[in-house]
Amino acid sequence: MDGSKMTFTNWAPGEPNGAESGENGVEMYAKTNYEFGSKAGSWNDIWVDHHKAYICSHPVTPTESGTGPNPLNCPDGWVPYRHFCYKLEGAQESGHKSFDDANGLFL
């Protein structure tokens, strides 16, 4: 959410469809659903108040970079990939959050 234009999309067939008013969020399918033709990793539009697991990321600056098993020096619990650190939160349903609630945690 840095204001830059989206350069990649991976919508499931027929998405985004705005089937319900207010579908301004995005969820990513974890499993392939052959009935609907959606593949794991494809996207669906969803209303932002729906509570789901979420992924946070932050770019790593050159001063944070290091060497060894975690060359990006990501904090504990974060996973390095390319030039970002990622963290999955809410894997258990009790930790699910709405978009606005999750977005406010890592700003």
Side-chain angles (χ1 to χ4, degrees):
M1 296 217 0
D2 62 4
S4 60
K5 284 189 168 191
M6 187 183 313
T7 59
F8 173 80
T9 62
N10 192 31
W11 294 107
E15 302 293 348
N17 61 9
E20 296 182 37
S21 178
E23 285 191 333
N24 297 320
V26 177
E27 68 177 344
M28 184 172 69
Y29 292 124
K31 297 179 181 177
T32 296
N33 184 324
Y34 295 103
E35 181 181 350
F36 297 108
S38 60
K39 295 180 180 178
S42 62
W43 304 349
N44 173 51
D45 58 331
I46 191 170
W47 26 282
V48 295
D49 288 339
H50 196 87
H51 289 203
K52 294 281 189 172
Y54 53 98
I55 297 173
C56 301
S57 71
H58 81 80
V60 177
T61 65
T63 58
E64 292 177 292
S65 295
T67 59
N70 183 357
L72 300 181
N73 291 328
C74 295
D76 286 342
W78 291 69
V79 177
Y81 182 73
R82 297 197 177 168
H83 299 290
F84 287 84
C85 297
Y86 294 91
K87 185 171 187 177
L88 172 65
E89 290 287 344
Q92 303 297 321
E93 191 169 342
S94 62
H96 290 182
K97 297 199 179 303
S98 70
F99 173 82
D100 288 335
D101 290 343
N103 192 42
L105 292 175
F106 294 101
L107 293 178

